[in-house]
Amino acid sequence: MWSNLLDPAHLIILLVVVLLIFGPRRLPELGSSLGKTLKMFKDAQKGLEDTNARDQNPPLPKE
């Protein structure tokens, strides 16, 4: 069922539907918002990975 999801015909239909819903004027704004959201998500995910790495390997106590 999901194997042909990224078929070019499906992507064209999706693009047409998005154009009809949002119009060509709002697409750059939506793209920019989506890019910023993905960047924030990746930064947050990297921060969690760094925190988990620190928690798993705590620094040795000084003598």
Side-chain angles (χ1 to χ4, degrees):
M1 177 176 162
W2 297 101
S3 62
N4 294 328
L5 186 62
L6 295 177
D7 187 39
H10 292 148
L11 293 176
I12 291 171
I13 292 170
L14 181 63
L15 179 63
V16 169
V17 170
V18 168
L19 276 171
L20 289 173
I21 292 174
F22 295 109
R25 292 183 189 155
R26 296 242 351 223
L27 284 181
E29 180 183 327
L30 290 172
S32 175
S33 297
L34 180 64
K36 289 177 184 177
T37 301
L38 288 175
K39 184 179 183 313
M40 288 174 26
F41 179 75
K42 287 180 182 179
D43 290 344
Q45 185 178 14
K46 184 179 179 187
L48 287 175
E49 288 173 357
D50 292 344
T51 302
N52 287 340
R54 258 187 284 133
D55 290 345
Q56 289 177 0
N57 299 320
L60 295 174
K62 294 182 180 181
E63 293 179 13

